[in-house]
Short mmCIF file of all heavy atoms in Angstrom, two decimals:
data_model
loop_
_atom_site.label_atom_id
_atom_site.label_comp_id
_atom_site.label_asym_id
_atom_site.label_seq_id
_atom_site.Cartn_x
_atom_site.Cartn_y
_atom_site.Cartn_z
N MET A 1 3.73 5.21 18.90
CA MET A 1 2.63 5.15 17.94
C MET A 1 2.72 6.42 17.02
O MET A 1 3.18 7.46 17.44
CB MET A 1 1.33 5.06 18.58
CG MET A 1 0.98 3.83 19.21
SD MET A 1 0.73 2.56 17.86
CE MET A 1 1.35 1.20 18.80
N HIS A 2 2.36 6.22 15.88
CA HIS A 2 2.15 7.27 14.91
C HIS A 2 0.84 7.45 14.52
O HIS A 2 -0.03 6.55 14.54
CB HIS A 2 3.06 7.04 13.67
CG HIS A 2 4.46 6.65 13.87
ND1 HIS A 2 5.41 7.67 14.14
CD2 HIS A 2 5.10 5.50 14.00
CE1 HIS A 2 6.59 7.03 14.34
NE2 HIS A 2 6.37 5.69 14.40
N ARG A 3 0.50 8.76 13.95
CA ARG A 3 -0.94 9.07 13.45
C ARG A 3 -0.71 9.67 12.06
O ARG A 3 0.10 10.57 11.91
CB ARG A 3 -1.71 9.90 14.44
CG ARG A 3 -2.01 9.28 15.80
CD ARG A 3 -2.72 10.08 16.63
NE ARG A 3 -4.13 10.34 16.13
CZ ARG A 3 -5.00 11.19 16.69
NH1 ARG A 3 -4.71 11.85 17.84
NH2 ARG A 3 -6.20 11.25 16.24
N GLN A 4 -1.66 9.30 11.22
CA GLN A 4 -1.71 9.88 9.89
C GLN A 4 -3.15 10.10 9.47
O GLN A 4 -3.98 9.33 9.82
CB GLN A 4 -0.99 8.92 8.89
CG GLN A 4 -0.93 9.50 7.44
CD GLN A 4 -0.02 10.59 7.45
OE1 GLN A 4 1.12 10.64 7.86
NE2 GLN A 4 -0.55 11.80 6.93
N LEU A 5 -3.32 11.31 8.95
CA LEU A 5 -4.74 11.75 8.53
C LEU A 5 -4.82 11.70 6.96
O LEU A 5 -3.85 12.18 6.39
CB LEU A 5 -5.12 13.09 9.02
CG LEU A 5 -6.48 13.57 8.90
CD1 LEU A 5 -7.41 12.70 9.76
CD2 LEU A 5 -6.69 15.00 9.33
N PHE A 6 -5.83 11.15 6.49
CA PHE A 6 -5.96 11.00 4.95
C PHE A 6 -7.42 11.61 4.60
O PHE A 6 -8.32 11.57 5.40
CB PHE A 6 -6.01 9.55 4.57
CG PHE A 6 -4.71 8.71 4.87
CD1 PHE A 6 -4.65 8.09 6.08
CD2 PHE A 6 -3.76 8.75 3.99
CE1 PHE A 6 -3.45 7.40 6.39
CE2 PHE A 6 -2.51 8.02 4.24
CZ PHE A 6 -2.52 7.37 5.50
N LYS A 7 -7.33 12.25 3.59
CA LYS A 7 -8.59 12.78 2.95
C LYS A 7 -9.01 11.73 1.83
O LYS A 7 -8.20 11.38 1.00
CB LYS A 7 -8.41 14.08 2.25
CG LYS A 7 -9.64 14.80 1.68
CD LYS A 7 -10.46 15.30 2.82
CE LYS A 7 -11.68 16.14 2.30
NZ LYS A 7 -12.42 16.66 3.31
N VAL A 8 -10.23 11.17 2.02
CA VAL A 8 -10.59 10.14 1.10
C VAL A 8 -11.79 10.33 0.37
O VAL A 8 -12.84 10.78 0.86
CB VAL A 8 -10.85 8.85 1.99
CG1 VAL A 8 -11.32 7.59 1.12
CG2 VAL A 8 -9.62 8.44 2.83
N GLY A 9 -11.81 10.25 -0.92
CA GLY A 9 -12.88 10.51 -1.91
C GLY A 9 -13.70 9.22 -2.02
O GLY A 9 -13.18 8.22 -2.03
N GLY A 10 -14.96 9.44 -2.23
CA GLY A 10 -15.86 8.20 -2.39
C GLY A 10 -16.41 7.50 -1.16
O GLY A 10 -16.94 6.48 -1.18
N LEU A 11 -16.10 8.23 -0.07
CA LEU A 11 -16.50 7.70 1.26
C LEU A 11 -17.81 8.18 1.61
O LEU A 11 -17.97 9.25 2.26
CB LEU A 11 -15.52 8.12 2.25
CG LEU A 11 -15.52 7.47 3.68
CD1 LEU A 11 -15.41 5.94 3.55
CD2 LEU A 11 -14.42 7.99 4.42
N ASN A 12 -18.86 7.60 1.12
CA ASN A 12 -20.28 8.31 1.15
C ASN A 12 -21.29 7.39 1.93
O ASN A 12 -22.46 7.86 1.94
CB ASN A 12 -20.69 8.68 -0.18
CG ASN A 12 -20.59 7.55 -1.25
OD1 ASN A 12 -20.45 6.43 -0.89
ND2 ASN A 12 -20.61 7.97 -2.44
N ASP A 13 -21.01 6.21 2.33
CA ASP A 13 -22.04 5.43 3.13
C ASP A 13 -21.41 4.47 3.97
O ASP A 13 -20.13 4.24 3.94
CB ASP A 13 -23.08 4.74 2.06
CG ASP A 13 -22.31 3.67 1.21
OD1 ASP A 13 -21.37 3.18 1.50
OD2 ASP A 13 -22.88 3.56 0.10
N ILE A 14 -22.15 3.73 4.81
CA ILE A 14 -21.72 2.85 5.82
C ILE A 14 -20.96 1.70 5.07
O ILE A 14 -19.89 1.15 5.61
CB ILE A 14 -22.76 2.34 6.70
CG1 ILE A 14 -23.34 3.58 7.44
CG2 ILE A 14 -22.33 1.21 7.65
CD1 ILE A 14 -22.40 4.11 8.47
N HIS A 15 -21.47 1.11 4.03
CA HIS A 15 -20.88 0.00 3.31
C HIS A 15 -19.53 0.36 2.92
O HIS A 15 -18.54 -0.46 3.06
CB HIS A 15 -21.69 -0.40 2.08
CG HIS A 15 -21.14 -1.53 1.31
ND1 HIS A 15 -21.00 -2.79 1.79
CD2 HIS A 15 -20.61 -1.51 0.12
CE1 HIS A 15 -20.40 -3.57 0.86
NE2 HIS A 15 -20.14 -2.87 -0.13
N ARG A 16 -19.25 1.51 2.28
CA ARG A 16 -17.97 1.94 1.71
C ARG A 16 -17.00 2.19 3.05
O ARG A 16 -15.91 1.87 2.97
CB ARG A 16 -18.02 3.21 1.08
CG ARG A 16 -18.88 3.10 -0.19
CD ARG A 16 -18.40 2.66 -1.46
NE ARG A 16 -17.25 3.54 -1.92
CZ ARG A 16 -16.34 3.20 -2.76
NH1 ARG A 16 -16.25 1.97 -3.24
NH2 ARG A 16 -15.34 4.09 -3.17
N MET A 17 -17.53 2.64 4.13
CA MET A 17 -16.77 2.82 5.28
C MET A 17 -16.24 1.46 5.85
O MET A 17 -15.05 1.34 6.19
CB MET A 17 -17.55 3.50 6.41
CG MET A 17 -16.80 3.96 7.60
SD MET A 17 -17.74 4.93 8.82
CE MET A 17 -18.54 3.59 9.55
N GLN A 18 -17.10 0.51 5.84
CA GLN A 18 -16.77 -0.81 6.27
C GLN A 18 -15.74 -1.49 5.44
O GLN A 18 -14.69 -2.03 5.86
CB GLN A 18 -17.97 -1.77 6.34
CG GLN A 18 -18.85 -1.39 7.40
CD GLN A 18 -20.21 -2.03 7.41
OE1 GLN A 18 -20.61 -2.61 6.38
NE2 GLN A 18 -20.94 -2.21 8.59
N MET A 19 -15.81 -1.22 3.97
CA MET A 19 -14.71 -1.70 3.18
C MET A 19 -13.37 -1.11 3.35
O MET A 19 -12.43 -1.79 3.37
CB MET A 19 -15.20 -1.37 1.63
CG MET A 19 -16.27 -2.27 1.05
SD MET A 19 -16.82 -1.64 -0.55
CE MET A 19 -15.25 -1.36 -1.36
N LEU A 20 -13.35 0.22 3.67
CA LEU A 20 -12.16 0.91 3.92
C LEU A 20 -11.54 0.44 5.29
O LEU A 20 -10.34 0.20 5.41
CB LEU A 20 -12.40 2.44 3.90
CG LEU A 20 -11.19 3.27 4.21
CD1 LEU A 20 -10.10 3.06 3.20
CD2 LEU A 20 -11.62 4.75 4.22
N THR A 21 -12.42 0.31 6.24
CA THR A 21 -12.03 -0.10 7.57
C THR A 21 -11.22 -1.54 7.44
O THR A 21 -10.16 -1.77 7.89
CB THR A 21 -12.97 -0.20 8.55
OG1 THR A 21 -13.55 1.06 8.71
CG2 THR A 21 -12.56 -0.75 9.93
N SER A 22 -11.85 -2.43 6.70
CA SER A 22 -11.41 -3.71 6.54
C SER A 22 -10.02 -3.77 5.81
O SER A 22 -8.97 -4.48 6.24
CB SER A 22 -12.37 -4.58 5.74
OG SER A 22 -11.83 -5.88 5.51
N ALA A 23 -9.85 -2.93 4.67
CA ALA A 23 -8.63 -2.78 4.06
C ALA A 23 -7.48 -2.27 4.90
O ALA A 23 -6.32 -2.76 4.79
CB ALA A 23 -8.83 -1.90 2.96
N ILE A 24 -7.79 -1.28 5.84
CA ILE A 24 -6.77 -0.74 6.59
C ILE A 24 -6.34 -1.69 7.79
O ILE A 24 -5.23 -1.86 8.18
CB ILE A 24 -7.12 0.57 7.18
CG1 ILE A 24 -7.34 1.57 6.05
CG2 ILE A 24 -6.09 1.15 8.10
CD1 ILE A 24 -7.89 2.97 6.37
N GLN A 25 -7.40 -2.23 8.35
CA GLN A 25 -7.19 -3.26 9.46
C GLN A 25 -6.25 -4.46 9.05
O GLN A 25 -5.64 -5.06 9.97
CB GLN A 25 -8.44 -3.77 10.04
CG GLN A 25 -9.22 -2.84 10.90
CD GLN A 25 -10.51 -3.39 11.33
OE1 GLN A 25 -11.11 -4.27 10.75
NE2 GLN A 25 -11.04 -2.85 12.49
N ASP A 26 -6.26 -4.80 7.90
CA ASP A 26 -5.39 -5.96 7.36
C ASP A 26 -3.93 -5.63 7.47
O ASP A 26 -3.11 -6.48 7.32
CB ASP A 26 -5.73 -6.29 5.98
CG ASP A 26 -7.15 -7.00 5.90
OD1 ASP A 26 -7.59 -7.55 6.91
OD2 ASP A 26 -7.63 -7.12 4.84
N LEU A 27 -3.54 -4.34 7.60
CA LEU A 27 -2.07 -3.97 7.66
C LEU A 27 -1.63 -4.13 9.03
O LEU A 27 -2.26 -4.12 10.03
CB LEU A 27 -2.05 -2.41 7.25
CG LEU A 27 -2.45 -1.99 5.89
CD1 LEU A 27 -2.52 -0.56 5.75
CD2 LEU A 27 -1.50 -2.70 4.81
N PRO A 28 -0.19 -4.54 9.08
CA PRO A 28 0.29 -4.75 10.40
C PRO A 28 0.41 -3.43 11.15
O PRO A 28 0.68 -2.35 10.62
CB PRO A 28 1.69 -5.32 10.01
CG PRO A 28 2.02 -4.65 8.67
CD PRO A 28 0.67 -4.55 7.96
N SER A 29 0.35 -3.64 12.55
CA SER A 29 0.52 -2.58 13.51
C SER A 29 -0.44 -1.43 13.41
O SER A 29 -0.12 -0.42 14.18
CB SER A 29 1.91 -2.09 13.58
OG SER A 29 2.34 -1.24 12.50
N VAL A 30 -1.63 -1.56 12.79
CA VAL A 30 -2.65 -0.56 12.82
C VAL A 30 -3.44 -0.78 14.05
O VAL A 30 -3.96 -1.89 14.37
CB VAL A 30 -3.66 -0.69 11.58
CG1 VAL A 30 -4.75 0.29 11.79
CG2 VAL A 30 -2.78 -0.19 10.37
N THR A 31 -3.37 0.22 14.95
CA THR A 31 -4.10 0.09 16.31
C THR A 31 -5.49 0.78 16.49
O THR A 31 -6.16 0.39 17.27
CB THR A 31 -3.14 0.62 17.45
OG1 THR A 31 -2.83 1.96 17.14
CG2 THR A 31 -1.76 -0.24 17.43
N HIS A 32 -5.65 1.83 15.61
CA HIS A 32 -6.94 2.48 15.72
C HIS A 32 -7.24 3.20 14.34
O HIS A 32 -6.34 3.72 13.70
CB HIS A 32 -6.86 3.55 16.87
CG HIS A 32 -8.12 4.25 17.11
ND1 HIS A 32 -9.17 3.68 17.66
CD2 HIS A 32 -8.53 5.49 16.75
CE1 HIS A 32 -10.25 4.56 17.71
NE2 HIS A 32 -9.81 5.72 17.16
N ILE A 33 -8.51 3.23 14.05
CA ILE A 33 -8.95 3.80 12.75
C ILE A 33 -10.18 4.65 13.15
O ILE A 33 -11.10 4.11 13.81
CB ILE A 33 -9.34 2.88 11.70
CG1 ILE A 33 -8.19 1.82 11.38
CG2 ILE A 33 -9.80 3.54 10.46
CD1 ILE A 33 -8.61 0.73 10.58
N ASP A 34 -10.22 6.01 12.88
CA ASP A 34 -11.46 6.77 13.04
C ASP A 34 -11.79 7.45 11.71
O ASP A 34 -10.99 8.10 11.08
CB ASP A 34 -11.02 7.86 14.06
CG ASP A 34 -12.24 8.71 14.43
OD1 ASP A 34 -13.39 8.23 14.38
OD2 ASP A 34 -12.14 9.93 14.77
N ILE A 35 -12.99 7.07 11.23
CA ILE A 35 -13.48 7.50 9.99
C ILE A 35 -14.66 8.52 10.09
O ILE A 35 -15.56 8.22 10.80
CB ILE A 35 -13.85 6.36 9.07
CG1 ILE A 35 -12.72 5.40 8.79
CG2 ILE A 35 -14.48 6.82 7.77
CD1 ILE A 35 -13.08 4.11 8.01
N SER A 36 -14.49 9.57 9.43
CA SER A 36 -15.56 10.59 9.46
C SER A 36 -16.20 10.65 8.11
O SER A 36 -15.61 11.14 7.13
CB SER A 36 -15.02 12.07 9.86
OG SER A 36 -15.94 12.98 9.71
N LEU A 37 -17.47 10.31 8.09
CA LEU A 37 -18.21 10.34 6.79
C LEU A 37 -18.53 11.89 6.41
O LEU A 37 -18.41 12.23 5.24
CB LEU A 37 -19.56 9.66 6.84
CG LEU A 37 -19.42 8.09 6.91
CD1 LEU A 37 -20.84 7.54 7.08
CD2 LEU A 37 -18.88 7.56 5.61
N GLU A 38 -18.65 12.70 7.39
CA GLU A 38 -18.95 14.19 7.25
C GLU A 38 -17.84 14.81 6.46
O GLU A 38 -18.08 15.64 5.52
CB GLU A 38 -19.31 14.83 8.48
CG GLU A 38 -20.61 14.37 9.04
CD GLU A 38 -20.50 13.15 9.96
OE1 GLU A 38 -19.35 12.85 10.43
OE2 GLU A 38 -21.43 12.33 10.06
N SER A 39 -16.59 14.61 7.03
CA SER A 39 -15.45 15.29 6.50
C SER A 39 -14.65 14.43 5.44
O SER A 39 -13.67 14.98 4.90
CB SER A 39 -14.62 15.73 7.57
OG SER A 39 -14.06 14.60 8.21
N SER A 40 -15.01 13.19 5.25
CA SER A 40 -14.27 12.21 4.39
C SER A 40 -12.84 12.16 4.83
O SER A 40 -11.90 12.02 4.07
CB SER A 40 -14.49 12.73 3.02
OG SER A 40 -15.67 12.65 2.48
N GLU A 41 -12.62 12.14 6.13
CA GLU A 41 -11.24 11.98 6.65
C GLU A 41 -11.07 10.67 7.36
O GLU A 41 -12.08 10.26 8.10
CB GLU A 41 -10.94 13.09 7.54
CG GLU A 41 -10.76 14.47 6.83
CD GLU A 41 -10.34 15.57 7.68
OE1 GLU A 41 -10.64 15.48 8.95
OE2 GLU A 41 -9.70 16.59 7.22
N VAL A 42 -9.93 10.11 7.38
CA VAL A 42 -9.52 8.83 8.05
C VAL A 42 -8.30 9.13 8.83
O VAL A 42 -7.25 9.54 8.33
CB VAL A 42 -9.36 7.74 6.93
CG1 VAL A 42 -8.97 6.47 7.65
CG2 VAL A 42 -10.51 7.56 6.14
N ASP A 43 -8.45 8.87 10.11
CA ASP A 43 -7.35 9.14 11.10
C ASP A 43 -6.89 7.73 11.42
O ASP A 43 -7.72 6.90 12.02
CB ASP A 43 -7.82 9.86 12.32
CG ASP A 43 -6.74 10.24 13.24
OD1 ASP A 43 -5.57 10.02 12.95
OD2 ASP A 43 -7.03 10.90 14.24
N VAL A 44 -5.58 7.34 11.16
CA VAL A 44 -5.12 6.05 11.48
C VAL A 44 -3.91 6.17 12.40
O VAL A 44 -3.00 6.95 12.16
CB VAL A 44 -4.60 5.35 10.18
CG1 VAL A 44 -4.10 3.96 10.45
CG2 VAL A 44 -5.67 5.33 9.02
N GLU A 45 -4.05 5.33 13.51
CA GLU A 45 -2.85 5.25 14.51
C GLU A 45 -2.23 3.97 14.16
O GLU A 45 -2.89 2.94 14.11
CB GLU A 45 -3.44 5.29 15.89
CG GLU A 45 -2.36 5.43 16.88
CD GLU A 45 -3.02 5.50 18.32
OE1 GLU A 45 -3.55 4.50 18.75
OE2 GLU A 45 -2.84 6.45 18.91
N HIS A 46 -0.86 4.05 13.98
CA HIS A 46 -0.20 2.78 13.69
C HIS A 46 1.26 2.77 14.34
O HIS A 46 1.80 3.77 14.66
CB HIS A 46 -0.03 2.66 12.16
CG HIS A 46 0.65 3.87 11.55
ND1 HIS A 46 2.00 3.92 11.30
CD2 HIS A 46 0.20 5.15 11.19
CE1 HIS A 46 2.32 4.98 10.74
NE2 HIS A 46 1.29 5.71 10.57
N GLY A 47 1.78 1.59 14.27
CA GLY A 47 3.12 1.44 14.80
C GLY A 47 4.21 1.57 13.70
O GLY A 47 3.79 1.97 12.59
N ASN A 48 5.39 1.16 13.97
CA ASN A 48 6.55 1.31 12.98
C ASN A 48 6.45 0.24 11.89
O ASN A 48 7.31 0.26 11.00
CB ASN A 48 7.76 1.13 13.78
CG ASN A 48 8.03 2.33 14.64
OD1 ASN A 48 7.64 3.37 14.37
ND2 ASN A 48 8.78 2.07 15.82
N PHE A 49 5.57 -0.82 12.02
CA PHE A 49 5.67 -1.89 11.04
C PHE A 49 4.87 -1.58 9.79
O PHE A 49 4.83 -2.44 8.79
CB PHE A 49 5.26 -3.23 11.61
CG PHE A 49 6.15 -3.63 12.66
CD1 PHE A 49 5.85 -3.63 14.10
CD2 PHE A 49 7.33 -4.23 12.42
CE1 PHE A 49 6.57 -4.03 15.03
CE2 PHE A 49 8.17 -4.58 13.41
CZ PHE A 49 7.86 -4.52 14.76
N VAL A 50 4.23 -0.36 9.66
CA VAL A 50 3.58 0.04 8.47
C VAL A 50 3.89 1.47 8.21
O VAL A 50 3.86 2.29 9.21
CB VAL A 50 2.09 -0.26 8.53
CG1 VAL A 50 1.32 0.58 9.59
CG2 VAL A 50 1.43 -0.09 7.19
N SER A 51 4.07 1.89 7.03
CA SER A 51 4.42 3.21 6.73
C SER A 51 3.01 4.00 6.22
O SER A 51 2.06 3.33 5.82
CB SER A 51 5.40 3.39 5.62
OG SER A 51 4.90 2.95 4.42
N PRO A 52 3.00 5.27 6.32
CA PRO A 52 1.92 6.11 5.81
C PRO A 52 1.64 5.82 4.26
O PRO A 52 0.50 5.76 3.81
CB PRO A 52 2.25 7.59 6.01
CG PRO A 52 3.24 7.49 7.08
CD PRO A 52 3.93 6.21 7.03
N GLU A 53 2.80 5.52 3.62
CA GLU A 53 2.67 5.31 2.05
C GLU A 53 1.92 3.94 1.93
O GLU A 53 1.12 3.78 0.97
CB GLU A 53 3.97 5.21 1.47
CG GLU A 53 4.69 6.55 1.36
CD GLU A 53 5.41 6.92 2.63
OE1 GLU A 53 5.55 6.20 3.51
OE2 GLU A 53 5.74 8.14 2.79
N GLU A 54 2.24 2.86 2.84
CA GLU A 54 1.41 1.68 2.65
C GLU A 54 0.02 1.81 2.97
O GLU A 54 -0.88 1.08 2.33
CB GLU A 54 2.25 0.65 3.52
CG GLU A 54 3.63 0.26 3.15
CD GLU A 54 4.38 -0.62 4.17
OE1 GLU A 54 4.35 -0.31 5.30
OE2 GLU A 54 5.04 -1.62 3.74
N ILE A 55 -0.32 2.64 4.02
CA ILE A 55 -1.71 2.70 4.38
C ILE A 55 -2.48 3.52 3.15
O ILE A 55 -3.43 3.07 2.75
CB ILE A 55 -1.80 3.73 5.66
CG1 ILE A 55 -1.13 2.91 6.86
CG2 ILE A 55 -3.34 3.95 5.87
CD1 ILE A 55 -0.99 3.75 8.04
N LEU A 56 -1.72 4.49 2.54
CA LEU A 56 -2.31 5.24 1.44
C LEU A 56 -2.55 4.27 0.34
O LEU A 56 -3.72 4.24 -0.29
CB LEU A 56 -1.43 6.32 0.95
CG LEU A 56 -1.85 7.21 -0.22
CD1 LEU A 56 -3.18 7.92 0.11
CD2 LEU A 56 -0.79 8.14 -0.59
N GLN A 57 -1.60 3.34 0.08
CA GLN A 57 -1.71 2.33 -0.99
C GLN A 57 -2.87 1.39 -0.75
O GLN A 57 -3.68 1.08 -1.71
CB GLN A 57 -0.40 1.58 -1.26
CG GLN A 57 -0.49 0.72 -2.49
CD GLN A 57 -0.68 1.51 -3.71
OE1 GLN A 57 0.10 2.50 -4.05
NE2 GLN A 57 -1.72 1.15 -4.51
N ALA A 58 -3.11 0.94 0.55
CA ALA A 58 -4.23 0.00 0.89
C ALA A 58 -5.64 0.76 0.62
O ALA A 58 -6.52 0.13 0.15
CB ALA A 58 -4.17 -0.31 2.37
N ILE A 59 -5.64 2.10 0.93
CA ILE A 59 -6.81 2.82 0.73
C ILE A 59 -7.09 2.94 -0.80
O ILE A 59 -8.27 2.64 -1.34
CB ILE A 59 -6.74 4.30 1.18
CG1 ILE A 59 -6.58 4.23 2.76
CG2 ILE A 59 -7.98 5.19 0.85
CD1 ILE A 59 -6.19 5.51 3.47
N VAL A 60 -6.06 3.16 -1.68
CA VAL A 60 -6.29 3.26 -3.05
C VAL A 60 -6.59 1.86 -3.66
O VAL A 60 -7.49 1.87 -4.50
CB VAL A 60 -4.91 3.87 -3.67
CG1 VAL A 60 -5.03 3.65 -5.26
CG2 VAL A 60 -4.75 5.28 -3.40
N ASP A 61 -6.01 0.91 -3.18
CA ASP A 61 -6.22 -0.51 -3.63
C ASP A 61 -7.68 -0.91 -3.36
O ASP A 61 -8.23 -1.81 -4.01
CB ASP A 61 -5.25 -1.54 -3.09
CG ASP A 61 -3.86 -1.38 -3.59
OD1 ASP A 61 -3.70 -0.69 -4.60
OD2 ASP A 61 -3.01 -2.00 -3.03
N ALA A 62 -8.25 -0.33 -2.26
CA ALA A 62 -9.70 -0.64 -1.92
C ALA A 62 -10.65 0.06 -2.77
O ALA A 62 -11.93 -0.09 -2.70
CB ALA A 62 -9.90 -0.36 -0.47
N GLY A 63 -10.14 0.89 -3.75
CA GLY A 63 -11.09 1.63 -4.63
C GLY A 63 -11.36 3.08 -4.39
O GLY A 63 -12.35 3.63 -4.87
N PHE A 64 -10.67 3.64 -3.41
CA PHE A 64 -10.80 5.05 -3.08
C PHE A 64 -9.68 6.04 -3.56
O PHE A 64 -8.61 5.58 -3.79
CB PHE A 64 -10.80 5.16 -1.53
CG PHE A 64 -11.97 4.37 -0.90
CD1 PHE A 64 -11.70 3.10 -0.48
CD2 PHE A 64 -13.19 5.03 -0.63
CE1 PHE A 64 -12.77 2.28 0.14
CE2 PHE A 64 -14.29 4.30 -0.07
CZ PHE A 64 -13.97 2.98 0.32
N ASP A 65 -9.97 7.22 -3.80
CA ASP A 65 -9.07 8.24 -3.96
C ASP A 65 -8.64 8.80 -2.60
O ASP A 65 -9.47 8.97 -1.69
CB ASP A 65 -9.66 9.48 -4.83
CG ASP A 65 -10.03 8.96 -6.20
OD1 ASP A 65 -9.32 8.27 -6.86
OD2 ASP A 65 -11.02 9.51 -6.73
N ALA A 66 -7.38 8.96 -2.47
CA ALA A 66 -6.88 9.42 -1.18
C ALA A 66 -5.63 10.25 -1.30
O ALA A 66 -4.85 10.25 -2.22
CB ALA A 66 -6.68 8.22 -0.21
N GLU A 67 -5.44 11.08 -0.29
CA GLU A 67 -4.23 11.96 -0.15
C GLU A 67 -4.04 12.19 1.38
O GLU A 67 -4.88 12.14 2.18
CB GLU A 67 -4.31 13.19 -0.94
CG GLU A 67 -5.44 14.22 -0.35
CD GLU A 67 -5.68 15.35 -1.28
OE1 GLU A 67 -5.55 15.34 -2.45
OE2 GLU A 67 -5.92 16.41 -0.71
N TYR A 68 -2.75 12.53 1.71
CA TYR A 68 -2.34 12.97 3.13
C TYR A 68 -2.87 14.26 3.32
O TYR A 68 -2.97 15.18 2.39
CB TYR A 68 -0.82 13.04 3.15
CG TYR A 68 -0.12 11.72 2.80
CD1 TYR A 68 0.64 11.60 1.72
CD2 TYR A 68 -0.18 10.68 3.75
CE1 TYR A 68 1.41 10.47 1.44
CE2 TYR A 68 0.57 9.64 3.53
CZ TYR A 68 1.37 9.46 2.28
OH TYR A 68 2.12 8.35 2.09
N THR A 69 -3.23 14.51 4.55
CA THR A 69 -3.61 15.82 5.01
C THR A 69 -2.68 16.08 6.22
O THR A 69 -2.17 15.24 6.92
CB THR A 69 -5.03 16.01 5.38
OG1 THR A 69 -5.47 14.98 6.43
CG2 THR A 69 -6.01 15.76 4.18
N ALA A 70 -2.62 17.36 6.68
CA ALA A 70 -1.80 17.70 7.74
C ALA A 70 -2.39 17.10 9.04
O ALA A 70 -3.57 17.05 9.13
CB ALA A 70 -1.75 19.24 7.87
N HIS A 71 -1.56 16.73 9.89
CA HIS A 71 -2.10 16.24 11.27
C HIS A 71 -1.46 16.91 12.38
O HIS A 71 -0.47 17.39 12.41
CB HIS A 71 -1.80 14.67 11.33
CG HIS A 71 -2.69 13.95 12.23
ND1 HIS A 71 -2.35 13.83 13.56
CD2 HIS A 71 -3.83 13.31 12.00
CE1 HIS A 71 -3.43 13.11 14.10
NE2 HIS A 71 -4.20 12.90 13.13
#
């Protein structure tokens, strides 16, 4: 398993958090998502069938600004 941490802009309420969770869960081999509203960070655990770039693109496609952060 791999883990990737993203800094996500526009993550300011439960509804937006649910939208983001849904977008990421639709990707293959995502096993765990931890979202912090306080820090606007998303920690994603995933297998080899999805790349960090694909996760980032799913976040952006869901209407959020996002970037990688160190993990």
Side-chain angles (χ1 to χ4, degrees):
M1 286 293 144
H2 305 280
R3 291 180 71 183
Q4 184 65 50
L5 190 64
F6 301 90
K7 185 75 168 179
V8 180
L11 190 58
N12 49 18
D13 62 32
I14 296 297
H15 176 70
R16 303 273 296 163
M17 186 174 86
Q18 291 170 337
M19 286 175 44
L20 181 58
T21 299
S22 179
I24 296 171
Q25 283 178 334
D26 287 344
L27 296 169
S29 76
V30 170
T31 58
H32 183 77
I33 304 167
D34 185 28
I35 299 176
S36 170
L37 289 176
E38 294 82 28
S39 65
S40 296
E41 291 182 331
V42 179
D43 187 4
V44 181
E45 185 175 72
H46 61 93
N48 292 330
F49 295 109
V50 66
S51 69
E53 292 80 15
E54 291 170 313
I55 297 169
L56 181 63
Q57 189 60 54
I59 294 169
V60 170
D61 289 348
F64 297 90
D65 294 322
E67 62 185 36
Y68 301 108
T69 59
H71 203 270

